[in-house]
Every structure is written in structure tokens, then in C-alpha cells.
Amino acid sequence: MIDNPLSSSIQIVIFFFLFSFLLSVALEKPKQEILTLMKSSLMGRSLFANFILMPIMCLILIWLFRLPPEISVGLLMVALAPGGMLGLHFARIAKGNLAYAVGLIIMLSMLSIVIAPMLIYLIFPSIAAKDGFIVSLLSRLLLFIIPPFLVGQIVQHWLPSIAMKVQKLSSFLSIVLFITLTVVTSKFKVLDTQALGWNGLAAIVAFIGISWFVGWQMGGSELENRKVLAITTSMRNVAICLLIATSSGVNRNTESTMLAFNVLLTPMNLVFAEAMKRVELTSQKQVTQSDAD
């Protein structure tokens, strides 16, 4: 377990990171454009991929790699918590559809605060055995997620002239706070290869790779949408995972698995996003050459 003093520091940084990031998300695109995308079949496929397919893929990987129980619990808990907040940053890098990315992250974040704790309670009753665990976790997640969206709506409705400036400022602050969070948790973000074993590390890498494939295949015909869904499906909600780790009596190796996932997730998606940006550049060059001929 993470000791209490540091976990309090982590939770404070997480709160301000989530607030600034979700505020920037809420101000990113016009409300009507996001609502239209949320009602589309693409959004339905996106939710199916994140809440149904990826947990099933995770169970298959647990069986294939013969993971021990504590490692299996950590990986499955991560799989049950979609909505990684850095998905929008990587979508920008990959030149994806930002309106779709914003709508998807909002939807996954809002659903995760209810669905993820409930699924964890049903699948891992021993983790949630502590009295009031679900109520406590849900209230904390609501405190993290609801206020920035409300502030975003107020700014858009009453102060539209400064909405863009507030969006840029909150986006910048979220990057700074993410770096701060990385520093604060650096002593825990060391790959415990001995505890995880080769099969644990391989399962994490395979999960991220399969997430890219599933998201790409279910993203439809538009290249920009495929990029977004591939990236977002691989991103899991770091905040929920850390809150579970600091709010329940999970095994040390279970914590190590979730932290190892977070260690590998960011650089892998950064490389993937850069590769996806080059896919667009290659397509544009091919179109230009065809027009010239």
C-alpha cells in the first residue's frame, strides 16, 4: 500500500490535475457539436469497445499468460476503468477528430465514476469489503469530475469572451500538473519486473496493442475517428486506479501492476500518436501526387 501522507499529496495533485484538464476539455469544442457526436452510432461502438470488449480481452490475456491472481486483479481493474485523461493530448498529436475525442472522454469519464466502482465491487468483493467503500469512492470521483464541467458550462454561457483564454490556461496547467504528478509518484513508478515477471509485462504491452487494434477497427471509415478511438481505448483512467489503490486494501503486487501499466501507457501512446500523425502526412502526400498526375 502507498503510505497515507504521500497518498494525500497524490490525491491533491490528482484533484487539481483533473479539474484543470476537464475544464479544458469542457471548453474545447461547442456544446452542440459534442452532443451530436454523443448520439451517433460511433459513440455506441466506442462505449462497447471500452466497457465490454477490452475487459473481455483482458480476461483472455490473463488466461493466455497464466498471470498470478494479484497481477490479474491489477490488470483487470485497469481494464474496467476507461477514460484516460491524456487521450485528448495524444489525439491532438495524432491529428485526430478533437470534437469526437472531447465527447468520448467526457462520456467515458462520467460513466466510469459509476460503472468502474460497481464492477470492481461485483468482481472483487474482498477489495470493496470496507464499509462505505463504494459510497466513498463515488463521492470522491464525483467531486473530481462534476465541478470542472459545471464551471466550463458557466464560462461558456456567461463569459464566452474569455472562454478560449481559460481553455488554453487550463490546458497548460493540466500539463504542468501531470508532470508534477509524475514527479510525486516517481518513487512508485518503477517497473517491478521481479513481481510482474515477463508474462505480466507482456500482458500489459499486449493489452495496449490490442486496444489500438480494437479501437482502429471500430472507429469507422474516417481516419481521424479511427485515430481517436484507437488511442482512447488504450488509455485507462489513472485517477480511478490510484484512488482505488489508496482507498482499499489491495495487494502490493496489484498496485505494482496498475503503476506499471501507467508507466508503459504514456510512452507507448506517444510513439503511437506520432506514428498516426505521419499516417495523415503520408495520405496527404499521396493525394497531392495523384492530383499532380
Side-chain angles (χ1 to χ4, degrees):
M1 288 291 295
I2 297 172
D3 58 38
N4 288 333
L6 185 55
S7 61
S8 298
S9 301
I10 291 173
Q11 290 176 47
I12 291 171
V13 177
I14 288 174
F15 173 79
F16 286 108
F17 164 66
L18 284 176
F19 189 96
S20 59
F21 183 81
L22 291 174
L23 177 59
S24 71
V25 169
L27 296 170
E28 182 74 35
K29 288 288 180 179
K31 180 180 177 182
Q32 188 58 46
E33 188 176 354
I34 294 174
L35 289 176
T36 301
L37 284 165
M38 284 185 173
K39 298 175 183 178
S40 66
S41 60
L42 175 61
M43 190 61 70
R45 295 197 304 272
S46 303
L47 297 179
F48 179 75
N50 277 276
F51 284 107
I52 305 297
L53 283 184
M54 290 318 302
I56 292 175
M57 291 296 104
C58 181
L59 291 172
I60 293 173
L61 288 174
I62 288 171
W63 176 76
L64 285 176
F65 287 97
R66 301 292 191 268
L67 298 182
E70 62 272 16
I71 305 299
S72 301
V73 170
L75 186 58
L76 189 54
M77 286 172 68
V78 169
L80 293 171
M85 300 302 169
L86 287 179
L88 184 57
H89 289 309
F90 290 129
R92 285 196 186 101
I93 294 173
K95 305 297 183 183
N97 182 344
L98 291 184
Y100 168 44
V102 171
L104 180 56
I105 290 173
I106 290 174
M107 184 70 78
L108 291 176
S109 298
M110 298 301 291
L111 292 176
S112 287
I113 66 175
V114 177
I115 293 177
M118 295 304 296
L119 288 176
I120 291 168
Y121 176 79
L122 292 173
I123 299 173
F124 308 115
S126 61
I127 292 176
K130 182 179 178 182
D131 291 340
F133 171 81
I134 291 296
V135 174
S136 174
L137 184 57
L138 282 174
S139 62
R140 292 165 76 184
L141 291 173
L142 286 170
L143 177 64
F144 289 159
I145 292 174
I146 299 299
F149 284 118
L150 292 178
V151 172
Q153 292 303 308
I154 292 172
V155 171
Q156 280 191 336
H157 184 74
W158 296 102
L159 301 167
S161 60
I162 66 168
M164 185 59 67
K165 293 180 180 179
V166 174
Q167 192 279 326
K168 290 181 179 180
L169 177 60
S170 57
S171 180
F172 173 76
L173 286 176
S174 70
I175 295 173
V176 173
L177 288 167
F178 176 75
I179 295 172
T180 303
L181 180 61
T182 302
V183 173
V184 170
T185 60
S186 60
K187 65 180 290 186
F188 302 106
K189 289 192 172 184
V190 177
L191 284 175
D192 190 347
T193 55
Q194 185 175 0
L196 292 173
W198 72 267
N199 53 338
L201 292 173
I204 292 172
V205 173
F207 180 89
I208 296 172
I210 291 172
S211 300
W212 291 337
F213 177 79
V214 169
W216 185 268
Q217 293 299 317
M218 300 195 69
S221 59
E222 295 292 332
L223 180 61
E224 290 185 341
N225 292 339
R226 285 189 160 199
K227 292 178 181 181
V228 169
L229 188 53
I231 291 170
T232 307
T233 302
S234 70
M235 302 297 297
R236 314 317 277 177
N237 200 310
V238 178
I240 288 179
C241 293
L242 286 175
L243 284 173
I244 290 171
T246 58
S247 302
S248 59
V250 298
N251 183 278
R252 183 180 182 84
N253 288 340
T254 299
E255 285 184 356
S256 297
T257 303
M258 292 188 289
L259 292 171
F261 187 94
N262 293 329
V263 169
L264 294 171
L265 184 65
T266 300
M268 286 183 66
N269 269 287
L270 180 59
V271 172
F272 183 76
E274 287 289 348
M276 290 299 98
K277 180 172 67 175
R278 296 182 182 278
V279 168
E280 183 182 40
L281 292 174
T282 302
S283 301
Q284 288 176 347
K285 288 180 180 178
Q286 291 175 346
V287 171
T288 302
Q289 289 176 353
S290 298
D291 292 341
D293 294 339

